[in-house]
Amino acid sequence: MSRVYNFSAGPAVLPEEVLQEAADEMMDYRGSGMSVMEMSHRSKVYDNIIKEAEADLRELMNIPDNYKVLFLQGGASQFFAEVPMNLMKNKKAGYIITGQWAKKAYQEAKIYGEAVELASSADETFSYIPDCSDLPITDDMDYVYICENNTIYGTKFKTLPNTKGKTLVADVSSCFLSEPVDVTKYGVIYGGVQKNVGPAGVVIAIIRENLITDDVLPGTPTMLKWKTQADNDSLYNTPPCYGIYICGKVFKWIKKMGGLSVMKQKNEEKAKILYDYLDESKLFHGTVRKEDRSLMNVPFVTGNEELDAKFVKEATAAGFVNLKGHRTVGGMRASIYNAMPKEGVEKLVAFMKKFEEENA
């Protein structure tokens, strides 16, 4: 069977040449006589894999020396708890609620201290990013938290919030490595990799060193202390070895493609093809305020649930898979991450045009 165009929000499409390379090395990684899946995380061979992955990521994102890069487990959802455990010294933090994942992080933080809702776009089904230029941030807040790209609702912070000097923590799971980023504007950038970087099972966290201390909330498990992980270079216990290896290959692929500025340009081109069609279509329309649209996740609807279901069914049969919207919002969603080729988006739009003609 030939490969489909996979518009899944995550786990999501990976670059074909990365998959091919991994397949070629499956039985014997570079003369070691074994697969990466089988080798000790303490071996010299694996140590090179994880160190090279970190070096390539540092180069891609221009990560300053005073930030640690950690390869962790537990998904972004476990990190919702790790953030307050490691940062809530005053037991108070501000959260900007722009979707389901920001909301879940906010609810998790409430277990550990006072989580304050600074702004929200819940009033319009999270279809926009609220104005964050003058938030009610108080001096006793330990940090301000955002989910930078909202996978389910298809919104993206184009301007980071004014945190009034407080540490900014950002979940970037679904926009990781999609464009250049100024790491110095954040205290913590983290994300599950299964959307834009690798297979499920790895979280990458980039944390400013002064935020990594022994001063954590009482009861924080040893494994969830950032200091434990940082002091051991992500090798305190067995890390998700194979997942990190694939992430390393994706970093090399992005470097080969020309880096993050080229990625951004390609992603803008792809998104424009789909958004331009949605803006002129009589049948389909996007659900997000134009200035807040994500380059990665594009939700759209016909306004008729039966027609939405018919579209998803016919699209799947035509080789455009995983277009059904998240169960909480319905409709459709095309996730067009780095590894989605431009022709995938062009063909999807051609299919949508044909469907519109047949169902007008």
Side-chain angles (χ1 to χ4, degrees):
M1 181 183 169
S2 63
R3 284 186 46 91
V4 293
Y5 288 111
N6 178 10
F7 293 94
S8 170
V13 60
L14 285 166
E16 284 194 13
E17 60 187 84
V18 166
L19 296 175
Q20 192 54 61
E21 222 175 89
D24 295 344
E25 293 174 346
M26 179 55 86
M27 300 299 283
D28 177 10
Y29 177 74
R30 302 192 181 172
S32 67
M34 56 185 154
S35 172
V36 175
M37 280 189 196
E38 305 171 293
M39 62 179 59
S40 165
H41 61 296
R42 306 281 178 212
S43 66
K44 185 82 191 95
V45 185
Y46 190 76
D47 202 52
N48 286 338
I49 289 173
I50 193 168
K51 285 202 166 69
E52 205 169 300
E54 178 178 337
D56 285 338
L57 182 63
R58 283 186 175 277
E59 186 186 326
L60 275 173
M61 290 180 72
N62 201 12
I63 298 171
D65 290 342
N66 66 325
Y67 282 74
K68 286 275 189 205
V69 174
L70 304 178
F71 295 96
L72 307 171
Q73 306 182 61
S77 296
Q78 180 175 287
F79 219 80
F80 296 166
E82 288 188 40
V83 169
M85 282 175 175
N86 285 273
L87 295 183
M88 252 195 189
K89 320 289 186 201
N90 293 322
K91 296 281 193 86
K92 191 172 181 184
Y95 280 70
I96 299 164
I97 315 294
T98 50
Q100 190 155 318
W101 304 114
K103 193 173 164 186
K104 286 192 169 175
Y106 164 68
Q107 286 163 341
E108 194 73 11
K110 282 179 166 176
I111 298 169
Y112 301 99
E114 188 188 346
V116 180
E117 185 182 296
L118 295 173
S120 172
S121 53
D123 61 333
E124 291 180 33
T125 328
F126 302 120
S127 59
Y128 70 100
I129 298 289
D131 176 10
C132 297
S133 57
D134 187 18
L135 299 164
I137 294 166
T138 53
D139 284 348
D140 54 351
M141 286 183 182
D142 293 301
Y143 59 88
V144 173
Y145 183 103
I146 62 170
C147 179
E148 193 163 322
N149 186 88
N150 297 282
T151 323
I152 294 174
Y153 299 96
T155 59
K156 164 83 162 68
F157 279 84
K158 304 293 167 74
T159 308
L160 293 175
N162 173 7
T163 64
K164 301 184 179 176
K166 295 295 170 193
T167 297
L168 178 63
V169 177
D171 172 356
V172 297
S173 295
S174 52
C175 59
F176 224 155
L177 302 182
S178 63
E179 59 182 26
V181 57
D182 181 356
V183 175
T184 62
K185 289 183 174 170
Y186 306 79
V188 181
I189 302 177
Y190 80 91
V193 303
Q194 71 277 7
K195 297 168 185 296
N196 214 21
V197 189
V202 185
V203 173
I204 296 174
I206 300 155
I207 307 172
R208 203 169 57 231
E209 281 178 353
N210 69 328
L211 300 174
I212 301 174
T213 66
D214 277 322
D215 180 18
V216 296
L217 294 188
T220 299
T222 306
M223 275 287 294
L224 303 189
K225 291 176 183 170
W226 294 343
K227 194 167 191 326
T228 302
Q229 302 292 353
D231 287 352
N232 291 281
D233 297 322
S234 305
L235 294 163
Y236 171 74
N237 71 326
T238 312
C241 298
Y242 196 80
I244 295 166
Y245 153 78
I246 299 289
C247 290
K249 289 205 174 300
V250 172
F251 302 155
K252 290 210 181 303
W253 175 77
I254 295 173
K255 280 172 68 175
K256 189 176 135 190
M257 300 291 277
L260 295 187
S261 51
V262 172
M263 276 297 143
K264 183 182 186 185
Q265 184 194 333
K266 285 180 181 296
N267 288 328
E268 284 174 342
E269 280 171 18
K270 285 189 299 193
K272 186 177 188 313
I273 294 165
L274 185 46
Y275 283 127
D276 281 356
Y277 168 62
L278 289 173
D279 288 343
E280 68 179 38
S281 170
K282 299 274 189 289
L283 180 64
F284 297 102
H285 57 271
T287 56
V288 172
R289 193 163 74 182
K290 280 188 186 180
E291 58 267 35
D292 298 325
R293 285 170 165 174
S294 164
L295 294 179
M296 298 284 99
N297 313 100
V298 184
F300 57 97
V301 293
T302 63
N304 177 316
E305 281 184 24
E306 283 169 24
L307 209 50
D308 286 354
K310 183 182 183 200
F311 172 78
V312 170
K313 189 179 175 192
E314 291 184 11
T316 303
F320 304 101
V321 305
N322 295 316
L323 281 164
K324 193 170 190 274
H326 191 271
R327 61 184 183 277
T328 56
V329 290
M332 284 73 68
R333 171 183 51 179
S335 294
I336 47 177
Y337 298 123
N338 287 349
M340 172 58 67
K342 185 175 169 184
E343 69 169 37
V345 183
E346 288 169 339
K347 286 182 175 174
L348 173 64
V349 168
F351 177 81
M352 289 168 75
K353 284 179 175 166
K354 180 171 160 282
F355 183 87
E356 178 166 3
E357 281 163 23
E358 291 167 1
N359 294 273

